[in-house]
Amino acid sequence: MHIVSEYQYTNVHKMSLCAAALPPHPQFQALYSTAHIVRDHPILVRDFIHSALYHPQHGYFSQRSRSVGVLPNSIRFNHLQGRKAYMQYLDNIYKQSDISWFTPVELFKPWYAHAIAEAIMRTTNFSIPLKIYEIGGGSGTCAKGIMDYIMLNAPAKVYNSMTYTSVEISPSLAEVQRETVGEVRSHIPKFRVECRDAADRSGWGDVEQQPCWVIMLEVLDNLPHDLVYSENQISPWMEVWVERQQDLETLAELYKPLQDSLITRCVEILDLDKTKSTQSAAISTLKSIWSKVHPKPRRCWLPTGCLKLLEVLHEVLPKMSLIASDFSYLPDVKIPGERAPLVSTKKDGSSSDYENYMDAKGDADIFFPTDFWLLERIDHYCSGWLKLHGDHSTKKGKKRRTIMLETSSFMEEFGLPTKTRTKDGYNPLLDDFKNTKFYLSVPTHNTK
């Protein structure tokens, strides 16, 4: 739902640009407890994270309707002298708006959305109606920017026949999107918001057989993840559950053998144990001895929420083309484990990061880096192209054409970088967002 550039994150603007909750009002203090997240029975880590973020009454995003900001006007970058002036400008608008963060599509409007629209136009088939789905549309700025660009640059028949559907889990953001897109009257009949969870298959209805586009900007980072644990270098992976202690407030981890189907599929896609079958008996013996002398626990975060979402999208939109943008890595992560998240909260006017994900009880954002290599594998698996061990089905999937681009490369290819350049040549869109990437994936007819 947000992007933090490495430069911005590691400087004084971490407080503003890191997604952070406002201090809870005293009457809501009681909400920040474990009671609504973990009840009498243990739950998987992904269910804990989902509740902490999206619980209808107590979740972080449910309570933070003002978290995602809308700028009244576009930033005139060519009027700013350079980096210092830009950072001062950001500081001022954050203080004036009293919100938690502005997404890059908002900071760089309309140019960020226009670049995405240009990428769509270059590869879409204009002989059939253009259908676009956006997952987690934020303030609606992306939708409006894309529809504006198509209205002005595509053949009239493309704009007149297009549909744009936003699938948004937050009712308050859904309303903001309708208002934003509705500023242009001709967009209104072409745009609709469906307030639901995109990862829930039942909300999609019948399979859409026509080609379409799916856009996910800063969505993957907030999808629930699971955690697997191993007590040393050779012990089997265990799935992690969260349970309440006897005091009913303290949480602790519980380790169980792998049994959840989503976790086991993700482990196999990632191929965590790929070295076991290839290494020699001598090496295995040495590793066994070493693990007993110097045991080193292992923790690995799995994007099971991404896997679930892409499984649903590939089923209901088998001919979709996908554009996703997100963090490729995060600085200063305190939570242990590979692909671990930042858990950030804001209290008494300053932001801080938790060292334990279980400390997040609806008062903190939880966001993950995206492993784009793994994202590609999950994409190919969900399309039916990548087969797991033991999958002997004869059904052939379609190979997809994929590309990963640094944000600066994507914007230089499809956008107008001169529009976000300051007087001295500094360009925040190209220079600051070094820890973000774009992922593009389009279907092909190839089954070989």
Side-chain angles (χ1 to χ4, degrees), residues 387-426:
K387 302 290 185 183
L388 300 185
H389 303 302
D391 184 353
H392 303 298
S393 63
T394 56
K395 183 180 178 181
K396 290 185 177 181
K398 298 290 182 65
K399 184 174 176 63
R400 297 179 67 80
R401 189 165 70 251
T402 62
I403 185 171
M404 290 165 244
L405 294 171
E406 301 289 340
T407 294
S408 56
S409 298
F410 180 89
M411 292 300 165
E412 286 173 334
E413 175 66 28
F414 299 109
L416 293 171
T418 55
K419 299 294 187 179
T420 55
R421 185 184 300 155
T422 59
K423 290 180 180 179
D424 67 0
Y426 162 67

Side-chain angles (χ1 to χ4, degrees), residues 129-367:
L130 174 60
K131 293 185 177 182
I132 300 175
Y133 295 89
E134 185 178 2
I135 311 299
S139 61
T141 296
C142 180
K144 180 179 181 297
I146 288 175
M147 296 182 78
D148 286 347
Y149 190 85
I150 292 173
M151 177 179 66
L152 295 173
N153 295 281
K157 68 172 185 177
V158 175
Y159 173 72
N160 292 333
S161 64
M162 76 173 293
T163 58
Y164 197 114
T165 303
S166 172
V167 182
E168 175 58 59
I169 199 170
S170 167
S172 57
L173 286 178
E175 188 56 39
V176 173
Q177 290 170 33
R178 292 187 188 97
E179 294 174 3
T180 301
V181 176
E183 293 173 6
V184 178
R185 210 169 201 178
S186 59
H187 292 348
I188 297 175
K190 304 169 179 60
F191 178 80
R192 73 174 185 269
V193 181
E194 296 180 0
C195 197
R196 58 184 175 85
D197 183 354
D200 183 352
R201 171 65 181 88
S202 64
W204 285 93
D206 296 335
V207 173
E208 172 59 72
Q209 298 293 353
Q210 292 298 315
C212 62
W213 283 87
V214 174
I215 300 169
M216 297 192 296
L217 305 182
E218 301 82 61
V219 168
L220 299 173
D221 61 279
N222 279 131
L223 289 180
H225 283 54
D226 271 292
L227 180 60
V228 291
Y229 169 83
S230 174
E231 61 183 15
N232 57 49
Q233 297 90 318
I234 64 169
S235 294
W237 289 101
M238 310 278 281
E239 58 190 37
V240 181
W241 294 62
V242 179
E243 64 177 352
R244 290 165 70 183
Q245 300 293 77
Q246 290 184 343
D247 62 8
L248 302 182
E249 282 300 321
T250 307
L251 299 179
E253 290 183 344
L254 178 66
Y255 309 116
K256 299 182 180 183
L258 295 185
Q259 57 186 3
D260 178 77
S261 61
L262 205 55
I263 293 176
T264 53
R265 287 202 303 281
C266 206
V267 165
E268 195 166 352
I269 292 169
L270 185 54
D271 212 2
L272 286 175
D273 297 316
K274 57 189 173 184
T275 58
K276 283 188 176 180
S277 59
T278 58
Q279 63 192 16
S280 68
I283 294 176
S284 297
T285 302
L286 286 173
K287 280 193 172 183
S288 178
I289 295 172
W290 184 257
S291 67
K292 292 177 181 177
V293 177
H294 299 285
K296 185 179 179 181
R298 299 180 294 166
R299 300 168 71 85
C300 184
W301 291 87
L302 303 175
T304 46
C306 172
L307 173 57
K308 182 181 178 184
L309 176 59
L310 287 182
E311 282 183 334
V312 169
L313 291 178
H314 275 287
E315 178 186 345
V316 298
L317 307 171
K319 296 181 181 178
M320 73 166 178
S321 295
L322 173 67
I323 296 181
S325 174
D326 232 304
F327 299 110
S328 53
Y329 69 92
L330 295 171
D332 303 331
V333 175
K334 297 180 179 180
I335 309 294
E338 189 175 351
R339 290 182 296 276
L342 273 170
V343 181
S344 180
T345 189
K346 187 175 183 181
K347 294 177 181 177
D348 301 325
S350 63
S351 83
S352 60
D353 298 336
Y354 287 132
E355 296 185 9
N356 189 329
Y357 68 93
M358 290 183 288
D359 291 336
K361 303 178 180 69
D363 64 337
D365 196 3
I366 306 171
F367 51 108

Side-chain angles (χ1 to χ4, degrees), residues 62-92:
S62 302
Q63 298 186 69
R64 309 297 169 209
S65 61
R66 286 178 53 79
S67 291
V68 179
V70 179
L71 290 174
N73 301 297
S74 299
I75 299 175
R76 302 175 75 175
F77 294 93
N78 60 347
H79 285 203
L80 299 174
Q81 182 59 38
R83 182 191 291 272
K84 184 177 180 180
Y86 170 68
M87 300 306 283
Q88 184 60 53
Y89 184 90
L90 282 187
D91 190 47
N92 292 337

